[in-house]
Amino acid sequence: MTCCFLYFSLFLIDESHKESTPFINSNNDGGRIYEGKNMALYEEEIDSTPMVASLLSKLANYTNLTQGVREHEEAEDGVRRVAVMVPQMGTFIGVYLPCMQNILGVILFLRLTWIVGTAGILESFAIVSMCCICTLLTAISMSAIATNGVVPAGGSYYMISRSLGPEFGGAVGLCFYLGTTFAGSLYILGTIEILLMYIVPTATVHKDNMRVYGTCCLLLMALVVFVGVKYVNKLALVFLSCVVLSIMATYAGAIKTLIEPPEFSVCLLGNRSLKNEIFPSCAKTEVVKNISVTTDLWKHFCDSEYSNATCDEFFTLNNLTEIPAIPGLLSGVIKDNLWSNYGPANMEIEKKDLPSQSPQIPSNDRNQYFVFSDIATYFTLLVGIYFPSVTGIMAGSNRSGDLRDAQRSIPIGTILAILTSSFLYMTFVVLFGACIEGVVLRDKFGFSVKKTPVIGVLAWPSPWVIVIGSFFSCCGAALQSLTGAPRLLQAIARDGIIPFLQVFGHGKTNGEPTWALLLTVGICEIGILIASLDEVAPILSMFFLMCYLFVNLACAVQTLLRTPNWRPRFKFYHWTLSFLGMSLCLSLMFICSWYYALIAIVIAGCIYKYIEYRGAVKEWGDGIRGLSLNAARYALIRLEEAPLHTKNWRPQVLVLCKLNADLEVKHPRLLSFTSQLKAGKGLTIVCSVLEGTYMTRKEDANLGETKMKVTMAAERTKGFSHVIVSSSLRDGFSILIQSAGLGGMKHNAVLMAWPVGWRQARDSLARRNFIETVRETTEANQALLVAKNIDHFPKNQERLKEGAIDVWWIVHDGGLLMLLPFLLMQHKVWRKCKMRIFTVAQLDDNSIQMKKDLQVFLYHLRLDAEVEVVEMHDSDISAFTYEKTLKMEQRSQMLKEMQLSRTEREREIQSITDVSRGSIKRRKWPVVDSPLNTQSIPEDEVAQLIHDRNTASHSVTNEKAAGATPDRVHMTWTKDKLLNERNKHREGMAVKDMFNMKPNQSNVRRMHTAVKLNEVVVKKSKDSQLVLLNMPGPPKNKKGDENYMEFLEVLMEGLDRVLLVRGGGREVITIYS
């Protein structure tokens, strides 16, 4: 029947269950329990550990695009385009062309010919090769980093910061930002130079034309960037087309020289080059209608147009020579251009193989008609001016979010762009040296060829191809710099690693970095006010070289560390290549300009230290952290190889702290004293213990550790913190003393506060914990420092202007007593205190000789201290000492009698109750007089039986006093009545014993020593800033523990700041070097 009923019930449950099952298209909530039923084993972990399908879905839909150019365009148009999850830019459009556009620019069109003419083909080739190899090695390192995961917007800043940490990332990121900003200045100055030199040479409004026009151009470009970035991006292809056409025109002109050289010629007076834009013909006289007349050139060098006029002596002594500016590839001019022609500023540009006669008295009246070098030239200067022409290799990595396959496109596109541009620069060096006359190459601004850019003279079909192409190229590059630099600054500001830059992380509603743009314009204006392209270029080179240096460093560090996350898809890298690139970058920095290099390093160093001390704490899994870990591991292993020598001994302190109810450090001055004692050196481990289980108090432990770190920072204590959970404080402290530290970096000293309230405590737990800690540190051969009145110790901000640190050297336990004051006086809090050492002489000691020996000992120890020997003769034990010892023992006896804990009482009752319950059957039995027959007594009479048995002697005494014993009266006792009666009896007996007791003679002698020594210490050191005392060890017999604490109290009585010191059993100070 029962089986049928159960079957029927299960059937009903099953039928109702089927009605709610989701497999029958039910929509009620009850069906949710079946969702993901195949993974029910993991259903409680779904929130913290998502399923693989969910993770893959998120990764497939991931986009690393920040609010960049495309989003800005959409916001400006007011039209939100359909998001395309996979960008469609390939290697050629997304990486190769942007890199080529940034690499080929102002230096190529305005300075490369001058560099070739000044340095010669060979040295120019060396300059180009060094710079191109530097960028190629950097590109290899960058490719490895860029293919080791997704690189969002931010380019090199993101790569360096995530590889080397926020300090290096912030410093190099700002250097890269400054480099990009000064690049904008360089391109604007190039734009204005082309405008004023070659397009509108008559547009003179002020003597500082470059500054005036440059500022106006900067404001105009900033307005374009502010109004709409989309216009800059749409014109990018036009600007790139101008660069390509100019390069093609240059190659075409070089090839044309094989057939027909250009008609440009150069006029030389003697061997000096003349500015031929001011005269139409290169002759002193010419025949007009069969009449010889003077030319315009004659008028410039003579005081009249007549043939008998007085002329410049150099003009009279030398003939005019007209030579072709572009002799052509087959002319053999390459031999003359192989070698360098460096010189000082304002030196005439001369053709060395032409004859020239110099006047006896040089005249400067007509020098304005000759072509001069405007600056002093030397190899390192040219390196600094040329290097900006190879920057721009980061353009591809900056666009990683727009690429179809960034990990494939960035390495291929960047390296191909560098190889292509290197080929172009090297061929241009050879073509310029093989086609163009040397005096024309050294003419920076083309004054000798009718104020035409020298590369334009070579170009075909017209110089205007170069003029227009280079003008738009410089404009486009300047706009790109003003667009990219603010976004880079915004990325740095939004990372939050540099607090004072946070304002630049904000912008317009569409994310446009308005404030960053304003700062960029301000810095760019500084470069424009310099008003010289040749002086801005080395500044630009410094910042880019520093950025490239750290890219190589990041790759080298990651490769050498071999971290598990270092898995780049680009395999053609090696740490030696990265190290070579880093060395080359550093060398080029000092080759370009040693003082600019030092300034750049100082700026980066200041930013690094600022981020280290004031910046936000970021954990990006960077290589520097991994490098620190490897270095720490190596150092720890080395420390294990040999024991520490005495000369290297320093206190490695384990600080045992207490946390209050709010989980804050109860005695913060303990941490202050630790920092003063160590001055930031050595190991410091700050620990605390919470009672309970780790499962229930994990959050409290984490919160306590967090608050402990805050307190350590406030007290300037550098070290480690740890809060553990243990079933008891005693066990927790024992674990810490045994296991804190790692390998060779273990603590050798324990610092703790004196348990102030141990006398007032209801139980002896505080006393027992303290004494056991003393025993364990002694057993572990660790020093122990116990600070009394720790809250009275000075703060780190205080300065003790006078006073003494008194050392009472009673017993020698390794010299720690004398080392501690020396370490304290290294800190500014105790620096002005003096050290005094007291030692105690017994009756048989020669106090005068002891003082001399101690002074010699301190001299050998190199310690400056005053020495005093205190004589303590044997004396009779005073009544005060006897009475104090008696009171101490009476108090100890009373505590022993009163401290039968509730746990012990409950355990005793519970044990007897369990025995009775296991043996008594639940039935009524007659009362039996035998008190030992527990099996015949009901459960409710067990308490009475216990009482009769435990107080048998007391009952016999009462019976004798009463005379006859009456018949037994049966009473019902509860457990509470039983315990109360027993405690009253014990207390009465204890009081009688205490009044009749006599003090132990050993305790009397110990108390006598403590009292006498305290009297001497108080007399000599009452006004001292700190007193250091040898800490006597606890008694070997644990029965005297309660008296040990009393002895220490008497020893320190009347003193404010006391540090009890117990050595670790080894010498910590030596007289040897």
Side-chain angles (χ1 to χ4, degrees):
M1 183 68 183
T2 305
C3 294
C4 294
F5 177 78
L6 288 174
Y7 179 80
F8 181 72
S9 300
L10 290 172
F11 177 77
L12 291 177
I13 293 172
D14 186 65
E15 288 298 314
S16 61
H17 182 68
K18 285 183 178 180
E19 291 177 0
S20 62
T21 179
F23 301 108
I24 313 180
N25 299 324
S26 174
N27 295 324
N28 57 10
D29 294 337
R32 293 180 181 174
I33 62 173
Y34 285 94
E35 294 179 1
K37 67 173 185 176
N38 292 332
M39 295 296 167
L41 186 60
Y42 301 95
E43 62 185 4
E44 294 183 356
E45 303 177 13
I46 294 299
D47 294 335
S48 59
T49 54
M51 301 301 295
V52 174
S54 174
L55 176 65
L56 294 177
S57 176
K58 290 180 180 179
L59 291 176
N61 296 326
Y62 170 73
T63 174
N64 60 356
L65 288 175
T66 57
Q67 201 166 15
V69 173
R70 188 166 58 195
E71 287 80 356
H72 298 330
E73 292 182 11
E74 293 171 357
E76 289 165 4
D77 293 344
V79 178
R80 186 68 181 177
R81 298 175 179 85
V82 178
V84 180
M85 286 302 175
V86 182
Q88 297 301 312
M89 295 178 66
T91 303
F92 185 75
I93 298 295
V95 180
Y96 181 79
L97 290 183
C99 286
M100 290 295 294
Q101 182 181 359
N102 282 269
I103 292 173
L104 303 172
V106 59
I107 301 298
L108 170 64
F109 298 117
L110 297 183
R111 291 293 182 270
L112 188 58
T113 54
W114 172 70
I115 291 173
V116 173
T118 306
I121 295 175
L122 296 179
E123 292 187 23
S124 299
F125 205 82
I127 292 173
V128 174
S129 300
M130 279 195 307
C131 296
C132 291
I133 291 173
C134 176
T135 55
L136 179 62
L137 294 175
T138 304
I140 292 173
S141 300
M142 183 197 70
S143 299
I145 299 174
T147 57
N148 189 51
V150 179
V151 180
S156 61
Y157 161 70
Y158 183 89
M159 290 188 292
I160 295 172
S161 62
R162 270 56 177 183
S163 297
L164 293 179
E167 294 86 2
F168 280 106
V172 180
L174 279 183
C175 287
F176 188 50
Y177 163 74
L178 292 174
T180 307
T181 304
F182 276 103
S185 303
L186 182 79
Y187 295 133
I188 290 175
L189 289 174
T191 302
I192 301 304
E193 183 176 309
I194 295 170
L195 179 69
L196 296 181
M197 282 286 180
Y198 310 120
I199 298 178
V200 191
T202 58
T204 302
V205 295
H206 193 269
K207 61 180 180 179
D208 292 327
N209 279 336
M210 291 291 287
R211 294 183 176 91
V212 174
Y213 281 99
T215 303
C216 295
C217 182
L218 172 63
L219 295 176
L220 181 62
M221 289 183 177
L223 182 63
V224 171
V225 173
F226 179 78
V227 170
V229 182
K230 62 181 180 180
Y231 303 113
V232 178
N233 295 313
K234 289 178 180 178
L235 291 174
L237 187 59
V238 176
F239 299 144
L240 181 60
S241 302
C242 294
V243 174
V244 174
L245 288 175
S246 300
I247 292 173
M248 292 175 64
T250 305
Y251 277 111
I255 295 172
K256 183 176 177 295
T257 59
L258 294 172
I259 304 170
E260 181 185 359
E263 297 178 356
F264 284 94
S265 60
V266 183
C267 186
L268 303 174
L269 180 59
N271 62 356
R272 297 180 183 178
S273 179
L274 292 172
K275 298 179 180 178
N276 65 358
E277 81 274 8
I278 57 178
F279 49 87
S281 61
C282 182
K284 294 181 179 180
T285 60
E286 59 182 353
V287 178
V288 178
K289 296 180 181 180
N290 295 326
I291 301 175
S292 178
V293 296
T294 58
T295 61
D296 292 339
L297 183 61
W298 179 281
K299 297 175 184 177
H300 287 98
F301 282 93
C302 301
D303 54 6
S304 70
E305 61 183 6
Y306 302 105
S307 58
N308 60 353
T310 303
C311 298
D312 182 79
E313 187 175 359
F314 186 83
F315 181 77
T316 304
L317 293 175
N318 292 281
N319 296 322
L320 290 168
T321 306
E322 190 172 15
I323 60 174
I326 311 293
L329 284 171
L330 303 178
S331 63
V333 72
I334 188 172
K335 298 179 182 179
D336 299 330
N337 293 332
L338 283 175
W339 313 109
S340 60
N341 291 279
Y342 300 117
N346 300 318
M347 183 187 74
E348 297 91 348
I349 295 178
E350 301 175 345
K351 185 174 175 60
K352 294 181 179 180
D353 56 352
L354 287 180
S356 177
Q357 298 182 21
S358 299
Q360 296 180 354
I361 303 176
S363 174
N364 297 324
D365 296 339
R366 314 292 179 175
N367 283 347
Q368 68 269 25
Y369 304 118
F370 295 106
V371 180
F372 289 88
S373 59
D374 59 336
I375 59 174
T377 54
Y378 41 90
F379 179 79
T380 58
L381 173 74
L382 300 185
V383 174
I385 293 175
Y386 173 77
F387 189 80
S389 65
V390 296
T391 60
I393 62 173
M394 301 290 184
S397 62
N398 292 341
R399 296 166 178 255
S400 59
D402 300 324
L403 302 174
R404 183 184 302 111
D405 185 359
Q407 297 192 0
R408 178 179 178 274
S409 297
I410 289 177
I412 295 176
T414 304
I415 293 175
L416 280 179
I418 292 174
L419 294 177
T420 304
S421 59
S422 300
F423 172 78
L424 292 177
Y425 280 119
M426 290 178 181
T427 54
F428 279 147
V429 167
V430 175
L431 288 177
F432 292 161
C435 294
I436 305 175
E437 179 61 47
V439 291
V440 180
L441 286 173
R442 298 195 298 276
D443 184 4
K444 182 186 294 185
F445 303 106
F447 291 122
S448 60
V449 284
K450 300 185 182 298
K451 219 171 185 179
T452 304
V454 176
I455 191 174
V457 177
L458 179 62
W460 180 84
S462 170
W464 283 100
V465 176
I466 298 295
V467 173
I468 301 301
S470 60
F471 178 79
F472 284 111
S473 171
C474 291
C475 286
L479 286 172
Q480 292 289 347
S481 298
L482 291 178
T483 302
R487 284 166 176 76
L488 178 59
L489 180 62
Q490 187 181 46
I492 299 172
R494 286 182 173 176
D495 262 348
I497 58 175
I498 305 178
F500 70 85
L501 289 181
Q502 289 183 357
V503 65
F504 300 107
H506 307 292
K508 293 195 295 186
T509 55
N510 63 347
E512 188 74 16
T514 308
W515 293 107
L517 178 62
L518 291 177
L519 180 63
T520 303
V521 170
I523 298 175
C524 195
E525 177 64 18
I526 296 174
I528 289 173
L529 292 178
I530 296 175
S532 172
L533 188 148
D534 301 322
E535 293 181 12
V536 173
I539 300 175
L540 171 65
S541 300
M542 288 303 111
F543 292 120
F544 276 113
L545 278 169
M546 181 164 288
C547 179
Y548 296 166
L549 185 151
F550 281 101
V551 169
N552 285 290
L553 176 62
C555 182
V557 168
Q558 295 280 21
T559 306
L560 290 173
L561 287 178
R562 298 179 181 177
T563 54
N565 190 56
W566 179 247
R567 304 184 302 274
R569 291 189 177 278
F570 180 77
K571 302 299 182 182
F572 305 100
Y573 69 93
H574 195 267
W575 69 268
T576 54
L577 295 178
S578 301
F579 187 79
L580 179 62
M582 181 179 65
S583 304
L584 189 56
C585 288
L586 186 62
S587 302
L588 286 175
M589 286 178 65
F590 284 92
I591 287 174
C592 294
S593 174
W594 65 267
Y595 49 88
Y596 278 160
L598 290 178
I599 293 173
I601 291 172
V602 168
I603 292 175
C606 292
I607 298 170
Y608 178 94
K609 299 303 292 184
Y610 176 81
I611 297 174
E612 185 179 19
Y613 284 104
R614 297 292 303 276
V617 178
K618 300 285 185 180
E619 177 51 59
W620 289 330
D622 51 88
I624 294 299
R625 295 295 294 270
L627 188 63
S628 301
L629 182 63
N630 273 16
R633 181 185 61 84
Y634 174 77
L636 287 173
I637 293 174
R638 288 294 304 273
L639 283 175
E640 287 279 291
E641 293 177 357
L644 188 69
H645 195 274
T646 301
K647 289 185 286 187
N648 291 326
W649 193 96
R650 67 170 62 248
Q652 318 283 8
V653 182
L654 171 67
V655 185
L656 299 180
C657 291
K658 285 187 178 181
L659 302 182
N660 57 21
D662 296 328
L663 298 178
E664 296 176 346
V665 177
K666 189 176 181 180
H667 302 293
R669 297 288 179 88
L670 203 59
L671 303 182
S672 303
F673 181 70
T674 305
S675 63
Q676 295 162 18
L677 178 65
K678 301 175 65 57
K681 308 295 183 182
L683 175 69
T684 301
I685 307 175
V686 184
C687 295
S688 188
V689 179
L690 298 179
E691 285 189 287
T693 62
Y694 184 70
M695 297 297 292
T696 58
R697 303 210 63 182
K698 175 187 174 184
E699 297 298 329
D700 291 342
N702 293 337
L703 179 59
E705 190 166 334
T706 301
K707 291 186 176 182
M708 187 179 288
K709 289 180 180 178
V710 173
T711 308
M712 290 175 65
E715 300 296 336
R716 299 178 184 176
T717 303
K718 295 182 179 180
F720 309 97
S721 62
H722 193 42
V723 177
I724 68 171
V725 182
S726 179
S727 57
S728 67
L729 294 177
R730 175 68 255 124
D731 292 342
F733 289 143
S734 178
I735 291 170
L736 291 173
I737 291 172
Q738 295 177 57
S739 61
L742 180 64
M745 285 297 287
K746 289 182 70 69
H747 63 280
N748 53 29
V750 177
L751 173 63
M752 59 189 301
W754 175 258
V756 179
W758 70 273
R759 283 176 172 169
Q760 290 76 26
R762 297 181 60 184
D763 53 24
S764 60
L765 188 61
R767 170 177 57 80
R768 286 188 281 115
N769 285 345
F770 177 79
I771 296 175
E772 288 301 316
T773 301
V774 176
R775 286 196 174 99
E776 288 191 0
T777 53
T778 304
E779 190 66 25
N781 295 324
Q782 297 172 4
L784 177 64
L785 311 177
V786 181
K788 180 191 175 185
N789 294 333
I790 186 63
D791 294 329
H792 296 175
F793 277 55
K795 297 180 180 179
N796 285 325
Q797 294 77 16
E798 296 182 27
R799 301 291 181 269
L800 301 178
K801 297 182 179 179
E802 58 183 1
I805 300 177
D806 288 351
V807 177
W808 284 85
W809 191 21
I810 312 299
V811 295
H812 179 68
D813 55 359
L816 184 59
L817 267 175
M818 287 172 286
L819 182 61
L820 291 178
F822 171 77
L823 295 175
L824 279 175
M825 289 190 296
Q826 305 305 306
H827 196 274
K828 47 193 172 184
V829 174
W830 305 88
R831 189 166 294 160
K832 294 186 177 180
C833 294
K834 61 182 179 180
M835 179 179 172
R836 299 191 303 182
I837 296 182
F838 298 89
T839 188
V840 177
Q842 300 296 323
L843 181 62
D844 299 333
D845 297 328
N846 186 340
S847 59
I848 298 176
Q849 187 61 37
M850 281 183 64
K851 183 174 181 178
K852 290 181 180 179
D853 293 342
L854 182 55
Q855 288 174 338
V856 172
F857 182 57
L858 291 176
Y859 176 79
H860 288 306
L861 289 176
R862 291 92 63 200
L863 295 176
D864 296 325
E866 298 178 7
V867 176
E868 184 172 347
V869 177
V870 178
E871 296 182 354
M872 287 185 63
H873 302 300
D874 291 339
S875 60
D876 296 333
I877 298 174
S878 63
F880 170 76
T881 302
Y882 190 87
E883 182 182 357
K884 197 170 185 67
T885 308
L886 181 60
K887 288 183 177 179
M888 176 188 72
E889 293 190 354
Q890 287 176 347
R891 180 180 180 277
S892 300
Q893 186 64 26
M894 184 179 293
L895 289 175
K896 285 182 179 179
E897 294 294 335
M898 295 177 62
Q899 285 177 352
L900 181 59
S901 64
R902 181 180 178 183
T903 304
E904 293 171 342
R905 296 198 301 266
E906 289 181 352
R907 184 163 56 245
E908 183 176 351
I909 296 299
Q910 185 64 38
S911 63
I912 298 177
T913 304
D914 291 342
V915 171
S916 65
R917 284 181 177 175
S919 59
I920 300 175
K921 295 183 178 179
R922 293 188 175 273
R923 59 180 178 176
K924 292 185 179 181
W925 293 87
V927 178
V928 180
D929 289 339
S930 175
L932 302 176
N933 191 4
T934 55
Q935 293 182 353
S936 60
I937 303 175
E939 183 180 1
D940 57 357
E941 296 181 6
V942 172
Q944 175 64 36
L945 173 61
I946 298 169
H947 173 68
D948 291 343
R949 185 178 60 185
N950 288 342
T951 60
S953 60
H954 184 220
S955 301
V956 171
T957 303
N958 291 338
E959 287 173 2
K960 289 181 179 180
T965 304
D967 294 336
R968 175 179 173 88
V969 180
H970 177 72
M971 297 179 63
T972 301
W973 287 76
T974 63
K975 294 180 182 180
D976 293 336
K977 285 183 179 182
L978 170 64
L979 297 175
N980 291 336
E981 188 68 21
R982 180 187 298 174
N983 289 337
K984 287 179 182 179
H985 172 68
R986 287 185 174 179
E987 290 171 6
M989 291 297 295
V991 170
K992 289 180 182 180
D993 292 341
M994 280 190 291
F995 282 112
N996 296 327
M997 69 185 299
K998 292 182 179 181
N1000 183 282
Q1001 290 302 314
S1002 176
N1003 289 338
V1004 172
R1005 286 187 292 104
R1006 292 171 183 267
M1007 182 64 73
H1008 176 69
T1009 303
V1011 170
K1012 287 300 180 183
L1013 187 56
N1014 175 258
E1015 290 176 358
V1016 176
V1017 174
V1018 170
K1019 180 181 178 181
K1020 298 288 186 180
S1021 305
K1022 186 175 182 180
D1023 297 327
S1024 299
Q1025 298 290 357
L1026 180 63
V1027 177
L1028 281 77
L1029 283 169
N1030 277 119
M1031 182 179 184
K1036 296 181 179 179
N1037 186 359
K1038 294 188 178 182
K1039 292 182 179 180
D1041 285 357
E1042 63 276 3
N1043 300 330
Y1044 173 70
M1045 299 291 288
E1046 196 70 43
F1047 294 145
L1048 294 182
E1049 285 282 8
V1050 172
L1051 185 62
M1052 297 185 292
E1053 190 174 357
L1055 300 174
D1056 185 21
R1057 299 174 185 153
V1058 182
L1059 186 66
L1060 295 177
V1061 180
R1062 185 163 177 78
R1066 64 161 294 170
E1067 292 292 334
V1068 300
I1069 193 168
T1070 178
I1071 63 174
Y1072 300 105
S1073 61

